[in-house]
């Protein structure tokens, strides 16, 4: 296989030859995801990217096509380290199926709703796609484009959701509520009633991020904790540190830092170091720099995850659908583990770069570890 990058934002991998508002504070979904967190997954042991938690199966016989296929992917963008790791997973997974994939076409929306809407329209109208994979930039804005695509070809949505049931399956780990429950429960269990939590967030309007916060906020309220701020940082390390410094300089006591994504956790901790303050209780993620910091400084911490191994699953699902094989759906719930103090050491890999995500499930993929920036 070879790669070809097009200046318009297209990446190609080839071989020879009506919108409704979404409720981000749903008690029933909160409970469902809490239950999923404790459920035993079905599927091959040691391969969580093809496992599923409960749910049914979707018949796909009507989509069966002979020969090698063109798989098209509309990506929200590659605008943070999590998505870089994920994109490497997706293209490497595709390399495992050279006999079945004629072409993999990827359009990068660069974090822009209008560009992704145009990208989807272009892919669908081009007539070459046998199946369309979508990772939406934001939930409501992309729903009409996904619905229109569903009328033309099988669609798989993953990572972030849309407000429609038309895709063949929606692939994701347990979900935002699950992430917020894991991190919220941990922090609530370490703090006393009346103590303060600073919430650091990425961007508004994305379902899996909004529900992370609503779940954690529900838990903090029930525990009698004070959320002294809820700040968007855009995944920018400098801005994250500046936000925390501002709260410290205003005299706010911060007992815990909760994050809806941990890619800037070490930047938040630097603000406490510079101020000569003890580290707070903190929730990060499965990113190497945070895990190493946690181990070195003996932090009181947890690493909830939204595992990047999920980027392998859409390629596998696309090929199953085009083979007419049933797939989990209409929601394909993948396991969503968390890193704890007891398991921390097993997830630290000094060969891998600081911004690598440990739950990539990529160790058996072509080019590992170099493709992900690692050293042999």
């Amino acid at each position: 296989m070879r790669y070809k990058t097009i200046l318009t934002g297209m990446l190609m991998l080839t071989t020879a030859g009506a919108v409704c508002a979404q409720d981000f504070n749903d008690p029933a979904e909160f409970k469902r995801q809490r239950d999923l967190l404790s459920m035993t997954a079905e599927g091959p042991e040691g391969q969580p990217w093809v496992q599923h938690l409960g749910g049914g199966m979707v018949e796909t016989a009507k989509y069966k096509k002979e020969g090698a296929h063109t798989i098209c992917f509309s990506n929200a963008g590659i605008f943070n380290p999590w998505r870089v790791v994920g994109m490497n997973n997706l293209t490497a997974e595709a390399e495992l199926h050279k006999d079945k994939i004629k072409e993999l076409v990827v359009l990068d929306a660069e974090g822009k709703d209008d560009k992704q809407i145009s990208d989807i329209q272009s892919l669908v109208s081009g007539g070459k796609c046998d199946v369309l994979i979508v990772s939406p930039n934001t939930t409501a804005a992309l729903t009409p484009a996904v619905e229109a695509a569903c009328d033309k070809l099988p669609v798989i949505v993953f990572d972030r959701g849309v407000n429609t049931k038309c895709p063949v399956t929606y692939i994701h780990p347990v979900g935002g509520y699950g992430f917020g429950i894991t991190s919220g429960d941990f922090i609530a269990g370490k703090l006393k009633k009346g103590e303060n939590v600073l919430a650091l967030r990425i961007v508004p309007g994305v379902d899996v991020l909004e529900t992370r916060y609503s779940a954690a906020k529900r838990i903090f309220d029930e525990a009698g904790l004070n959320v002294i701020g809820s700040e968007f940082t855009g995944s920018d390390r400098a801005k994250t540190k500046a936000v925390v410094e501002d709260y410290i300089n205003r005299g706010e006591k911060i007992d815990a830092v909760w994050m809806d994504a941990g890619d800037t956790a070490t930047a938040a901790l630097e603000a406490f170091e510079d101020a000569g303050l003890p580290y707070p209780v903190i929730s990060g993620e499965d990113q190497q720099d945070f895990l190493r910091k946690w181990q070195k400084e003996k932090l009181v911490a947890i690493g909830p995850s939204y595992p990047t191994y999920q980027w392998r699953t859409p390629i596998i699902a696309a090929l199953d659908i085009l083979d007419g094989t049933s797939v989990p759906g209409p929601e394909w719930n993948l396991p969503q583990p968390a890193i704890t103090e007891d398991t921390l050491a097993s997830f630290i890999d000094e060969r891998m770069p600081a911004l690598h995500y440990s739950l990539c499930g990529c160790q058996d993929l072509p080019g590992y570890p170099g493709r992900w920036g690692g050293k042999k």
Side-chain angles (χ1 to χ4, degrees):
M1 282 193 177
R2 61 184 178 85
Y3 296 94
K4 182 179 180 183
T5 304
I6 309 300
L7 294 178
T8 57
M10 178 184 291
L11 177 84
M12 298 182 70
L13 174 64
T14 61
T15 59
V19 182
C20 59
Q22 180 155 348
D23 182 1
F24 296 126
N25 189 16
D26 182 347
E29 184 61 17
F30 177 98
K31 181 182 183 304
R32 187 183 79 88
Q33 292 193 22
R34 186 183 280 283
D35 292 341
L36 285 172
L37 287 172
S38 61
M39 188 178 295
T40 300
E42 300 176 44
E45 185 176 354
Q47 299 179 49
W49 51 90
V50 288
Q51 294 176 352
H52 61 101
L53 298 167
M57 302 293 289
V58 176
E59 295 293 332
T60 66
K62 65 181 179 180
Y63 301 116
K64 185 173 182 178
K65 295 189 72 170
E66 300 298 329
H69 309 297
T70 296
I71 297 177
C72 296
F73 174 35
S74 170
N75 188 13
I78 309 177
F79 40 72
N80 60 40
W82 186 89
R83 303 191 74 82
V84 173
V85 173
M87 192 64 210
N88 281 328
N89 281 7
L90 186 142
T91 53
E93 177 65 41
E95 285 190 11
L96 294 177
H97 309 280
K98 296 178 182 179
D99 58 329
K100 294 184 177 181
I101 299 176
K102 177 173 61 178
E103 187 173 45
L104 173 67
V105 180
V106 182
L107 294 184
D108 188 324
E110 302 169 2
K112 301 172 184 176
D113 288 339
D114 57 348
K115 185 176 186 311
Q116 188 167 29
I117 291 167
S118 176
D119 287 348
I120 291 173
Q121 291 171 343
S122 174
L123 290 170
V124 173
S125 64
K128 66 186 298 184
C129 303
D130 295 309
V131 62
L132 175 66
I133 299 168
V134 181
S135 175
N137 187 53
T138 61
T139 302
L142 270 296
T143 299
V146 170
E147 287 183 321
C150 288
D151 290 336
K152 303 294 185 181
L153 76 173
V155 176
I156 298 164
V157 171
F158 87 102
D159 166 31
R160 302 170 170 187
V162 285
N163 295 330
T164 177
K165 301 296 186 183
C166 76
V168 178
T169 190
Y170 167 32
I171 299 164
H172 58 92
V174 170
Y177 290 100
F179 189 104
I181 289 166
T182 298
S183 50
D185 278 346
F186 177 82
I187 288 175
K190 298 297 181 181
L191 267 55
K192 298 176 183 177
K193 184 176 181 180
E195 291 191 309
N196 296 334
V197 180
L198 175 61
L200 300 178
R201 307 169 64 188
I202 300 180
V203 292
V206 177
D207 58 352
V208 296
L209 300 177
E210 293 283 359
T211 52
R212 290 179 190 186
Y213 179 65
S214 73
K217 181 66 162 56
R218 175 189 295 270
I219 291 167
F220 298 152
D221 288 347
E222 291 174 352
L225 303 180
N226 302 316
V227 178
I228 58 173
S230 172
E231 304 286 352
F232 292 105
T233 68
S235 286
D236 184 277
R237 300 175 80 85
K239 185 173 182 180
T240 297
K241 184 178 179 183
V243 166
V244 178
E245 287 175 337
D246 182 55
Y247 275 80
I248 291 172
N249 292 336
R250 293 193 327 233
E252 298 276 10
K253 184 174 184 293
I254 304 171
D255 300 295
V257 172
W258 177 89
M259 309 189 76
D260 71 359
D263 57 334
T264 60
T266 55
L269 291 169
E270 287 170 5
F272 291 88
E273 294 172 349
D274 291 352
L277 295 173
Y279 295 117
V281 176
I282 187 168
S283 66
E285 212 166 343
D286 59 313
Q287 198 169 357
Q288 281 291 312
D289 64 344
F290 173 68
L291 301 183
R292 293 167 188 166
K293 184 80 168 179
W294 177 359
Q295 184 181 62
K296 179 182 177 182
E297 304 295 345
K298 296 180 171 55
L299 302 174
V300 179
I302 193 167
S305 75
Y306 201 61
T308 47
Y309 58 60
Q310 68 184 282
W311 288 69
R312 298 185 62 169
T313 316
I315 295 294
I316 296 167
L319 293 174
D320 281 348
I321 289 167
L322 293 172
D323 281 347
T325 302
S326 299
V327 297
E331 283 194 58
W332 185 335
N333 294 291
L334 300 168
Q336 186 171 306
I339 298 173
T340 66
E341 183 177 356
D342 291 339
T343 61
L344 173 61
S346 65
F347 286 101
I348 293 175
D349 187 344
E350 296 294 346
R351 300 175 305 164
M352 303 307 291
L355 303 184
H356 181 69
Y357 282 79
S358 299
L359 286 159
C360 65
C362 55
Q363 290 81 359
D364 66 339
L365 287 173
Y368 182 86
R371 187 181 205 137
W372 288 262
K375 298 175 291 185
K376 292 185 178 180

